[in-house]
Amino acid sequence: METTQKIALVTGGSRGLGRNTAIALSNKGIDVIVTYHTRKEEADSVVKEIVGNGRKAAALQLDTGNVSSFEAFESQLSNILKENWNQEHFDFLINNAGFGLNAPLAQTTEAQFDNLMNVHFKGVFFLTQKLISRIADNGRIINLSTGLTRFALEGYGAYAAMKGAIEILTKYMAKEWGRRGIRVNAVAPGAIATDFGGGAVRDNEGIQEFIGSQTALGRVGEANDIGGVVASLCTADLGWVNAQRIEASGGMFL
């Protein structure tokens, strides 16, 4: 019996953790579709690297904060699946797209709050709803959360609250779609040295030293520390892991 090629969709796959996740997936023999908001050249670079790994890849534009665009995106995705893979379904949805905000609760504006909600919670909810019929039975959904749902650092209250909602949503997705064999988990990175949040961790040696001193493994995280965790959750080896929050922080604030 012929088996279909496994395909992952990684939102926000043009940079940072999304890029690393996309490449890690390709290293496990999985084809990848990445979405990008504005960074088409960077997304094309990811596609090129994955193709260089011997896998198929494609890039699609998507604003994960604009629910009204999801209908057209689903249509584009359908066309790409048919043209490039002759398939109607994909297997793994990685809800990774996002941005950081550091603002005290008393100074967080309604616009900032709404932007966070639209991308990190509302967008994830409705994009997954839109695409669930295209996810193959026995597929996977992986939602990106944050270590900040377990420990608190000033200035991240609104952002962390959205991710807290995602962790609860993850359990309900696992409950409702488990009858189709779909596993749903949340991966919660600790502080990572990428351009996320304006590169605050990546570019500030003081922050890096502090985080390293509070982490069991003695350093700040890198993108390479996370992509493999996400990709591994798409393998049969971790097929019995379901409805879990998996923190990948190197042992931060133990």
Side-chain angles (χ1 to χ4, degrees):
M1 180 178 176
E2 184 179 354
T3 58
T4 57
Q5 171 59 38
K6 300 295 186 184
I7 306 167
L9 174 65
V10 182
T11 66
S14 64
R15 62 185 180 86
L17 301 187
R19 177 190 180 99
N20 188 266
T21 294
I23 293 167
L25 286 160
S26 72
N27 288 337
K28 291 188 179 295
I30 298 166
D31 292 349
V32 186
I33 301 169
V34 298
T35 78
Y36 64 93
H37 185 197
T38 57
R39 305 181 185 219
K40 183 179 188 303
E41 289 185 2
E42 293 182 24
D44 289 341
S45 173
V46 177
V47 169
K48 184 177 180 180
E49 185 166 349
I50 291 171
V51 171
N53 281 347
R55 305 288 359 140
K56 286 185 179 179
L60 290 173
Q61 197 279 333
L62 173 66
D63 179 356
T64 54
N66 181 6
V67 173
S68 66
S69 72
F70 293 172
E71 185 81 30
F73 174 77
E74 195 268 343
S75 178
Q76 288 181 305
L77 177 63
S78 174
N79 291 336
I80 284 284
L81 287 169
K82 179 173 267 188
E83 291 170 9
N84 290 19
W85 286 274
N86 195 30
Q87 294 181 203
E88 294 184 358
H89 300 91
F90 67 100
D91 303 273
F92 313 122
L93 172 60
I94 318 299
N95 284 310
N96 166 80
F99 64 95
L101 173 70
N102 187 330
L105 295 176
Q107 297 171 22
T108 300
T109 67
E110 184 178 3
Q112 288 174 325
F113 184 97
D114 287 347
N115 286 338
L116 283 170
M117 182 179 68
N118 287 340
V119 172
H120 288 283
F121 183 58
K122 184 179 179 181
V124 171
F125 187 106
F126 286 103
L127 181 65
T128 308
Q129 180 191 78
K130 175 61 67 176
L131 299 182
I132 190 62
S133 63
R134 292 222 165 263
I135 298 176
D137 289 352
N138 301 310
R140 309 285 196 277
I141 299 169
I142 299 166
N143 299 319
L144 268 290
S145 183
T146 175
L148 292 161
T149 59
R150 177 177 64 83
F151 51 80
L153 293 175
E154 287 189 36
Y156 293 100
Y159 170 78
M162 304 302 167
K163 293 301 192 180
I166 283 296
E167 291 182 7
I168 298 299
L169 180 63
T170 294
K171 294 180 182 181
Y172 278 83
M173 287 178 171
K175 183 74 171 179
E176 294 195 14
W177 295 326
R179 62 180 60 93
R180 291 182 50 203
I182 295 174
R183 286 80 156 166
V184 190
N185 291 289
V187 171
I192 305 292
T194 68
D195 64 358
F196 190 79
V201 175
R202 179 195 61 194
D203 300 334
N204 189 312
E205 289 186 9
I207 291 177
Q208 290 190 26
E209 289 177 5
F210 170 70
I211 291 169
S213 73
Q214 299 298 316
T215 301
L217 294 181
R219 64 171 174 83
V220 71
E222 302 288 345
N224 287 340
D225 295 317
I226 307 301
V229 176
V230 177
S232 293
L233 284 167
C234 296
T235 66
D237 290 343
L238 294 182
W240 200 238
V241 176
N242 194 26
Q244 299 303 303
R245 174 195 188 273
I246 299 168
E247 184 171 316
S249 69
M252 193 171 167
F253 293 128
L254 297 179

PDB file of all heavy atoms in Angstrom, residues 66-94:
ATOM      1  N   ASN A  66      -5.332  38.197  10.950  1.00  0.00           N
ATOM      2  CA  ASN A  66      -6.463  38.655  10.147  1.00  0.00           C
ATOM      3  C   ASN A  66      -7.340  37.467   9.782  1.00  0.00           C
ATOM      4  O   ASN A  66      -7.133  36.804   8.769  1.00  0.00           O
ATOM      5  CB  ASN A  66      -5.947  39.354   8.881  1.00  0.00           C
ATOM      6  CG  ASN A  66      -7.079  39.886   8.009  1.00  0.00           C
ATOM      7  OD1 ASN A  66      -8.249  39.844   8.379  1.00  0.00           O
ATOM      8  ND2 ASN A  66      -6.722  40.374   6.830  1.00  0.00           N
ATOM      9  N   VAL A  67      -8.326  37.187  10.624  1.00  0.00           N
ATOM     10  CA  VAL A  67      -9.165  36.013  10.444  1.00  0.00           C
ATOM     11  C   VAL A  67      -9.896  36.041   9.103  1.00  0.00           C
ATOM     12  O   VAL A  67     -10.117  34.996   8.481  1.00  0.00           O
ATOM     13  CB  VAL A  67     -10.166  35.891  11.618  1.00  0.00           C
ATOM     14  CG1 VAL A  67     -11.167  34.764  11.382  1.00  0.00           C
ATOM     15  CG2 VAL A  67      -9.412  35.656  12.926  1.00  0.00           C
ATOM     16  N   SER A  68     -10.253  37.220   8.627  1.00  0.00           N
ATOM     17  CA  SER A  68     -11.008  37.322   7.371  1.00  0.00           C
ATOM     18  C   SER A  68     -10.198  36.860   6.169  1.00  0.00           C
ATOM     19  O   SER A  68     -10.764  36.604   5.102  1.00  0.00           O
ATOM     20  CB  SER A  68     -11.487  38.761   7.149  1.00  0.00           C
ATOM     21  OG  SER A  68     -10.386  39.635   6.942  1.00  0.00           O
ATOM     22  N   SER A  69      -8.888  36.722   6.331  1.00  0.00           N
ATOM     23  CA  SER A  69      -8.039  36.272   5.221  1.00  0.00           C
ATOM     24  C   SER A  69      -7.891  34.752   5.161  1.00  0.00           C
ATOM     25  O   SER A  69      -7.320  34.221   4.211  1.00  0.00           O
ATOM     26  CB  SER A  69      -6.636  36.904   5.336  1.00  0.00           C
ATOM     27  OG  SER A  69      -5.904  36.319   6.413  1.00  0.00           O
ATOM     28  N   PHE A  70      -8.419  34.050   6.161  1.00  0.00           N
ATOM     29  CA  PHE A  70      -8.156  32.614   6.262  1.00  0.00           C
ATOM     30  C   PHE A  70      -8.855  31.805   5.181  1.00  0.00           C
ATOM     31  O   PHE A  70      -8.366  30.756   4.761  1.00  0.00           O
ATOM     32  CB  PHE A  70      -8.547  32.090   7.644  1.00  0.00           C
ATOM     33  CG  PHE A  70      -7.689  32.618   8.774  1.00  0.00           C
ATOM     34  CD1 PHE A  70      -8.028  32.366  10.094  1.00  0.00           C
ATOM     35  CD2 PHE A  70      -6.545  33.367   8.521  1.00  0.00           C
ATOM     36  CE1 PHE A  70      -7.244  32.843  11.133  1.00  0.00           C
ATOM     37  CE2 PHE A  70      -5.756  33.860   9.550  1.00  0.00           C
ATOM     38  CZ  PHE A  70      -6.110  33.594  10.870  1.00  0.00           C
ATOM     39  N   GLU A  71     -10.011  32.278   4.728  1.00  0.00           N
ATOM     40  CA  GLU A  71     -10.718  31.571   3.656  1.00  0.00           C
ATOM     41  C   GLU A  71      -9.870  31.520   2.393  1.00  0.00           C
ATOM     42  O   GLU A  71      -9.706  30.460   1.773  1.00  0.00           O
ATOM     43  CB  GLU A  71     -12.054  32.262   3.368  1.00  0.00           C
ATOM     44  CG  GLU A  71     -12.921  31.539   2.353  1.00  0.00           C
ATOM     45  CD  GLU A  71     -13.692  30.382   2.974  1.00  0.00           C
ATOM     46  OE1 GLU A  71     -14.033  30.445   4.153  1.00  0.00           O
ATOM     47  OE2 GLU A  71     -13.945  29.405   2.236  1.00  0.00           O
ATOM     48  N   ALA A  72      -9.318  32.680   2.007  1.00  0.00           N
ATOM     49  CA  ALA A  72      -8.480  32.734   0.807  1.00  0.00           C
ATOM     50  C   ALA A  72      -7.197  31.939   1.008  1.00  0.00           C
ATOM     51  O   ALA A  72      -6.708  31.282   0.077  1.00  0.00           O
ATOM     52  CB  ALA A  72      -8.153  34.191   0.471  1.00  0.00           C
ATOM     53  N   PHE A  73      -6.642  31.972   2.226  1.00  0.00           N
ATOM     54  CA  PHE A  73      -5.428  31.207   2.496  1.00  0.00           C
ATOM     55  C   PHE A  73      -5.694  29.709   2.357  1.00  0.00           C
ATOM     56  O   PHE A  73      -4.891  28.976   1.771  1.00  0.00           O
ATOM     57  CB  PHE A  73      -4.897  31.508   3.898  1.00  0.00           C
ATOM     58  CG  PHE A  73      -3.734  30.633   4.282  1.00  0.00           C
ATOM     59  CD1 PHE A  73      -2.468  30.883   3.790  1.00  0.00           C
ATOM     60  CD2 PHE A  73      -3.923  29.532   5.129  1.00  0.00           C
ATOM     61  CE1 PHE A  73      -1.390  30.069   4.118  1.00  0.00           C
ATOM     62  CE2 PHE A  73      -2.855  28.718   5.468  1.00  0.00           C
ATOM     63  CZ  PHE A  73      -1.590  28.982   4.960  1.00  0.00           C
ATOM     64  N   GLU A  74      -6.813  29.254   2.876  1.00  0.00           N
ATOM     65  CA  GLU A  74      -7.140  27.830   2.780  1.00  0.00           C
ATOM     66  C   GLU A  74      -7.249  27.397   1.323  1.00  0.00           C
ATOM     67  O   GLU A  74      -6.839  26.290   0.950  1.00  0.00           O
ATOM     68  CB  GLU A  74      -8.448  27.556   3.535  1.00  0.00           C
ATOM     69  CG  GLU A  74      -8.700  26.076   3.808  1.00  0.00           C
ATOM     70  CD  GLU A  74      -9.507  25.416   2.724  1.00  0.00           C
ATOM     71  OE1 GLU A  74     -10.151  26.120   1.930  1.00  0.00           O
ATOM     72  OE2 GLU A  74      -9.493  24.162   2.676  1.00  0.00           O
ATOM     73  N   SER A  75      -7.778  28.275   0.488  1.00  0.00           N
ATOM     74  CA  SER A  75      -7.884  27.981  -0.937  1.00  0.00           C
ATOM     75  C   SER A  75      -6.496  27.897  -1.584  1.00  0.00           C
ATOM     76  O   SER A  75      -6.225  26.990  -2.384  1.00  0.00           O
ATOM     77  CB  SER A  75      -8.728  29.059  -1.624  1.00  0.00           C
ATOM     78  OG  SER A  75      -8.815  28.823  -3.010  1.00  0.00           O
ATOM     79  N   GLN A  76      -5.616  28.843  -1.227  1.00  0.00           N
ATOM     80  CA  GLN A  76      -4.244  28.805  -1.739  1.00  0.00           C
ATOM     81  C   GLN A  76      -3.526  27.545  -1.281  1.00  0.00           C
ATOM     82  O   GLN A  76      -2.798  26.912  -2.055  1.00  0.00           O
ATOM     83  CB  GLN A  76      -3.472  30.032  -1.266  1.00  0.00           C
ATOM     84  CG  GLN A  76      -3.873  31.336  -1.915  1.00  0.00           C
ATOM     85  CD  GLN A  76      -3.019  32.485  -1.384  1.00  0.00           C
ATOM     86  OE1 GLN A  76      -2.933  32.713  -0.175  1.00  0.00           O
ATOM     87  NE2 GLN A  76      -2.380  33.198  -2.280  1.00  0.00           N
ATOM     88  N   LEU A  77      -3.725  27.183  -0.031  1.00  0.00           N
ATOM     89  CA  LEU A  77      -3.098  25.980   0.508  1.00  0.00           C
ATOM     90  C   LEU A  77      -3.582  24.752  -0.241  1.00  0.00           C
ATOM     91  O   LEU A  77      -2.784  23.854  -0.589  1.00  0.00           O
ATOM     92  CB  LEU A  77      -3.409  25.861   1.999  1.00  0.00           C
ATOM     93  CG  LEU A  77      -2.894  24.607   2.712  1.00  0.00           C
ATOM     94  CD1 LEU A  77      -1.376  24.563   2.690  1.00  0.00           C
ATOM     95  CD2 LEU A  77      -3.416  24.565   4.148  1.00  0.00           C
ATOM     96  N   SER A  78      -4.872  24.694  -0.504  1.00  0.00           N
ATOM     97  CA  SER A  78      -5.433  23.577  -1.253  1.00  0.00           C
ATOM     98  C   SER A  78      -4.783  23.446  -2.625  1.00  0.00           C
ATOM     99  O   SER A  78      -4.426  22.342  -3.065  1.00  0.00           O
ATOM    100  CB  SER A  78      -6.944  23.767  -1.409  1.00  0.00           C
ATOM    101  OG  SER A  78      -7.491  22.770  -2.242  1.00  0.00           O
ATOM    102  N   ASN A  79      -4.591  24.584  -3.288  1.00  0.00           N
ATOM    103  CA  ASN A  79      -3.976  24.575  -4.616  1.00  0.00           C
ATOM    104  C   ASN A  79      -2.524  24.100  -4.557  1.00  0.00           C
ATOM    105  O   ASN A  79      -2.079  23.306  -5.407  1.00  0.00           O
ATOM    106  CB  ASN A  79      -4.038  25.969  -5.245  1.00  0.00           C
ATOM    107  CG  ASN A  79      -5.451  26.382  -5.602  1.00  0.00           C
ATOM    108  OD1 ASN A  79      -6.326  25.541  -5.799  1.00  0.00           O
ATOM    109  ND2 ASN A  79      -5.697  27.682  -5.677  1.00  0.00           N
ATOM    110  N   ILE A  80      -1.783  24.584  -3.559  1.00  0.00           N
ATOM    111  CA  ILE A  80      -0.374  24.189  -3.410  1.00  0.00           C
ATOM    112  C   ILE A  80      -0.269  22.694  -3.129  1.00  0.00           C
ATOM    113  O   ILE A  80       0.603  21.993  -3.689  1.00  0.00           O
ATOM    114  CB  ILE A  80       0.295  24.997  -2.275  1.00  0.00           C
ATOM    115  CG1 ILE A  80       0.599  26.422  -2.741  1.00  0.00           C
ATOM    116  CG2 ILE A  80       1.564  24.325  -1.790  1.00  0.00           C
ATOM    117  CD1 ILE A  80       1.804  26.536  -3.662  1.00  0.00           C
ATOM    118  N   LEU A  81      -1.129  22.181  -2.266  1.00  0.00           N
ATOM    119  CA  LEU A  81      -1.100  20.747  -1.949  1.00  0.00           C
ATOM    120  C   LEU A  81      -1.361  19.910  -3.192  1.00  0.00           C
ATOM    121  O   LEU A  81      -0.713  18.879  -3.412  1.00  0.00           O
ATOM    122  CB  LEU A  81      -2.138  20.425  -0.868  1.00  0.00           C
ATOM    123  CG  LEU A  81      -1.810  20.895   0.540  1.00  0.00           C
ATOM    124  CD1 LEU A  81      -3.034  20.757   1.448  1.00  0.00           C
ATOM    125  CD2 LEU A  81      -0.635  20.113   1.120  1.00  0.00           C
ATOM    126  N   LYS A  82      -2.306  20.361  -4.006  1.00  0.00           N
ATOM    127  CA  LYS A  82      -2.644  19.600  -5.213  1.00  0.00           C
ATOM    128  C   LYS A  82      -1.536  19.708  -6.257  1.00  0.00           C
ATOM    129  O   LYS A  82      -1.129  18.707  -6.866  1.00  0.00           O
ATOM    130  CB  LYS A  82      -3.967  20.104  -5.794  1.00  0.00           C
ATOM    131  CG  LYS A  82      -4.393  19.382  -7.062  1.00  0.00           C
ATOM    132  CD  LYS A  82      -5.793  19.797  -7.509  1.00  0.00           C
ATOM    133  CE  LYS A  82      -6.823  18.865  -6.935  1.00  0.00           C
ATOM    134  NZ  LYS A  82      -8.179  19.113  -7.509  1.00  0.00           N
ATOM    135  N   GLU A  83      -1.015  20.922  -6.463  1.00  0.00           N
ATOM    136  CA  GLU A  83      -0.009  21.137  -7.504  1.00  0.00           C
ATOM    137  C   GLU A  83       1.327  20.483  -7.161  1.00  0.00           C
ATOM    138  O   GLU A  83       1.968  19.865  -8.017  1.00  0.00           O
ATOM    139  CB  GLU A  83       0.196  22.644  -7.720  1.00  0.00           C
ATOM    140  CG  GLU A  83      -0.991  23.348  -8.345  1.00  0.00           C
ATOM    141  CD  GLU A  83      -0.831  24.860  -8.311  1.00  0.00           C
ATOM    142  OE1 GLU A  83       0.282  25.336  -7.949  1.00  0.00           O
ATOM    143  OE2 GLU A  83      -1.805  25.571  -8.620  1.00  0.00           O
ATOM    144  N   ASN A  84       1.777  20.640  -5.917  1.00  0.00           N
ATOM    145  CA  ASN A  84       3.123  20.186  -5.541  1.00  0.00           C
ATOM    146  C   ASN A  84       3.159  18.746  -5.032  1.00  0.00           C
ATOM    147  O   ASN A  84       4.191  18.082  -5.138  1.00  0.00           O
ATOM    148  CB  ASN A  84       3.712  21.106  -4.473  1.00  0.00           C
ATOM    149  CG  ASN A  84       4.065  22.472  -5.011  1.00  0.00           C
ATOM    150  OD1 ASN A  84       3.572  22.878  -6.062  1.00  0.00           O
ATOM    151  ND2 ASN A  84       4.911  23.198  -4.303  1.00  0.00           N
ATOM    152  N   TRP A  85       2.030  18.294  -4.448  1.00  0.00           N
ATOM    153  CA  TRP A  85       2.052  16.972  -3.815  1.00  0.00           C
ATOM    154  C   TRP A  85       0.951  16.037  -4.308  1.00  0.00           C
ATOM    155  O   TRP A  85       0.931  14.873  -3.937  1.00  0.00           O
ATOM    156  CB  TRP A  85       1.930  17.122  -2.296  1.00  0.00           C
ATOM    157  CG  TRP A  85       3.168  17.612  -1.637  1.00  0.00           C
ATOM    158  CD1 TRP A  85       4.232  16.852  -1.213  1.00  0.00           C
ATOM    159  CD2 TRP A  85       3.497  18.972  -1.300  1.00  0.00           C
ATOM    160  NE1 TRP A  85       5.198  17.658  -0.637  1.00  0.00           N
ATOM    161  CE2 TRP A  85       4.768  18.966  -0.669  1.00  0.00           C
ATOM    162  CE3 TRP A  85       2.853  20.194  -1.451  1.00  0.00           C
ATOM    163  CZ2 TRP A  85       5.394  20.123  -0.213  1.00  0.00           C
ATOM    164  CZ3 TRP A  85       3.465  21.348  -1.009  1.00  0.00           C
ATOM    165  CH2 TRP A  85       4.726  21.304  -0.397  1.00  0.00           C
ATOM    166  N   ASN A  86       0.027  16.567  -5.091  1.00  0.00           N
ATOM    167  CA  ASN A  86      -1.132  15.779  -5.524  1.00  0.00           C
ATOM    168  C   ASN A  86      -1.859  15.188  -4.322  1.00  0.00           C
ATOM    169  O   ASN A  86      -2.307  14.036  -4.332  1.00  0.00           O
ATOM    170  CB  ASN A  86      -0.716  14.665  -6.495  1.00  0.00           C
ATOM    171  CG  ASN A  86      -1.908  14.078  -7.237  1.00  0.00           C
ATOM    172  OD1 ASN A  86      -2.899  14.770  -7.480  1.00  0.00           O
ATOM    173  ND2 ASN A  86      -1.818  12.795  -7.586  1.00  0.00           N
ATOM    174  N   GLN A  87      -1.975  15.978  -3.269  1.00  0.00           N
ATOM    175  CA  GLN A  87      -2.661  15.582  -2.046  1.00  0.00           C
ATOM    176  C   GLN A  87      -3.684  16.642  -1.656  1.00  0.00           C
ATOM    177  O   GLN A  87      -3.551  17.824  -2.014  1.00  0.00           O
ATOM    178  CB  GLN A  87      -1.666  15.377  -0.888  1.00  0.00           C
ATOM    179  CG  GLN A  87      -0.726  14.197  -1.114  1.00  0.00           C
ATOM    180  CD  GLN A  87       0.242  13.958   0.036  1.00  0.00           C
ATOM    181  OE1 GLN A  87       1.299  13.358  -0.142  1.00  0.00           O
ATOM    182  NE2 GLN A  87      -0.099  14.409   1.232  1.00  0.00           N
ATOM    183  N   GLU A  88      -4.674  16.229  -0.887  1.00  0.00           N
ATOM    184  CA  GLU A  88      -5.688  17.159  -0.396  1.00  0.00           C
ATOM    185  C   GLU A  88      -5.446  17.548   1.057  1.00  0.00           C
ATOM    186  O   GLU A  88      -6.012  18.526   1.535  1.00  0.00           O
ATOM    187  CB  GLU A  88      -7.080  16.539  -0.519  1.00  0.00           C
ATOM    188  CG  GLU A  88      -7.525  16.320  -1.957  1.00  0.00           C
ATOM    189  CD  GLU A  88      -8.944  15.786  -2.040  1.00  0.00           C
ATOM    190  OE1 GLU A  88      -9.557  15.562  -0.974  1.00  0.00           O
ATOM    191  OE2 GLU A  88      -9.428  15.602  -3.168  1.00  0.00           O
ATOM    192  N   HIS A  89      -4.604  16.784   1.753  1.00  0.00           N
ATOM    193  CA  HIS A  89      -4.406  16.987   3.176  1.00  0.00           C
ATOM    194  C   HIS A  89      -2.925  17.182   3.509  1.00  0.00           C
ATOM    195  O   HIS A  89      -2.050  16.805   2.731  1.00  0.00           O
ATOM    196  CB  HIS A  89      -4.948  15.797   3.973  1.00  0.00           C
ATOM    197  CG  HIS A  89      -6.409  15.561   3.776  1.00  0.00           C
ATOM    198  ND1 HIS A  89      -6.899  14.735   2.799  1.00  0.00           N
ATOM    199  CD2 HIS A  89      -7.496  16.063   4.444  1.00  0.00           C
ATOM    200  CE1 HIS A  89      -8.229  14.728   2.855  1.00  0.00           C
ATOM    201  NE2 HIS A  89      -8.610  15.527   3.839  1.00  0.00           N
ATOM    202  N   PHE A  90      -2.679  17.776   4.675  1.00  0.00           N
ATOM    203  CA  PHE A  90      -1.337  17.797   5.237  1.00  0.00           C
ATOM    204  C   PHE A  90      -1.416  17.189   6.632  1.00  0.00           C
ATOM    205  O   PHE A  90      -2.508  16.873   7.132  1.00  0.00           O
ATOM    206  CB  PHE A  90      -0.756  19.219   5.255  1.00  0.00           C
ATOM    207  CG  PHE A  90      -1.445  20.179   6.182  1.00  0.00           C
ATOM    208  CD1 PHE A  90      -0.919  20.475   7.422  1.00  0.00           C
ATOM    209  CD2 PHE A  90      -2.631  20.815   5.804  1.00  0.00           C
ATOM    210  CE1 PHE A  90      -1.547  21.373   8.286  1.00  0.00           C
ATOM    211  CE2 PHE A  90      -3.266  21.712   6.644  1.00  0.00           C
ATOM    212  CZ  PHE A  90      -2.726  21.988   7.898  1.00  0.00           C
ATOM    213  N   ASP A  91      -0.275  16.980   7.266  1.00  0.00           N
ATOM    214  CA  ASP A  91      -0.237  16.147   8.468  1.00  0.00           C
ATOM    215  C   ASP A  91       0.020  16.905   9.762  1.00  0.00           C
ATOM    216  O   ASP A  91      -0.484  16.514  10.813  1.00  0.00           O
ATOM    217  CB  ASP A  91       0.846  15.069   8.305  1.00  0.00           C
ATOM    218  CG  ASP A  91       0.607  14.231   7.073  1.00  0.00           C
ATOM    219  OD1 ASP A  91      -0.142  13.241   7.174  1.00  0.00           O
ATOM    220  OD2 ASP A  91       1.148  14.565   5.989  1.00  0.00           O
ATOM    221  N   PHE A  92       0.827  17.949   9.688  1.00  0.00           N
ATOM    222  CA  PHE A  92       1.292  18.599  10.913  1.00  0.00           C
ATOM    223  C   PHE A  92       1.095  20.110  10.801  1.00  0.00           C
ATOM    224  O   PHE A  92       1.624  20.740   9.886  1.00  0.00           O
ATOM    225  CB  PHE A  92       2.774  18.301  11.159  1.00  0.00           C
ATOM    226  CG  PHE A  92       3.130  16.846  10.999  1.00  0.00           C
ATOM    227  CD1 PHE A  92       4.088  16.446  10.089  1.00  0.00           C
ATOM    228  CD2 PHE A  92       2.496  15.870  11.751  1.00  0.00           C
ATOM    229  CE1 PHE A  92       4.416  15.105   9.927  1.00  0.00           C
ATOM    230  CE2 PHE A  92       2.813  14.531  11.612  1.00  0.00           C
ATOM    231  CZ  PHE A  92       3.776  14.138  10.694  1.00  0.00           C
ATOM    232  N   LEU A  93       0.339  20.678  11.748  1.00  0.00           N
ATOM    233  CA  LEU A  93       0.156  22.128  11.812  1.00  0.00           C
ATOM    234  C   LEU A  93       0.952  22.662  12.992  1.00  0.00           C
ATOM    235  O   LEU A  93       0.696  22.284  14.144  1.00  0.00           O
ATOM    236  CB  LEU A  93      -1.322  22.484  11.974  1.00  0.00           C
ATOM    237  CG  LEU A  93      -1.637  23.961  12.233  1.00  0.00           C
ATOM    238  CD1 LEU A  93      -1.145  24.845  11.089  1.00  0.00           C
ATOM    239  CD2 LEU A  93      -3.137  24.157  12.475  1.00  0.00           C
ATOM    240  N   ILE A  94       1.903  23.540  12.716  1.00  0.00           N
ATOM    241  CA  ILE A  94       2.721  24.160  13.752  1.00  0.00           C
ATOM    242  C   ILE A  94       2.304  25.621  13.866  1.00  0.00           C
ATOM    243  O   ILE A  94       2.640  26.448  13.006  1.00  0.00           O
ATOM    244  CB  ILE A  94       4.232  24.068  13.437  1.00  0.00           C
ATOM    245  CG1 ILE A  94       4.603  22.686  12.876  1.00  0.00           C
ATOM    246  CG2 ILE A  94       5.046  24.434  14.666  1.00  0.00           C
ATOM    247  CD1 ILE A  94       4.331  21.525  13.792  1.00  0.00           C
TER     248      ILE A  94
END
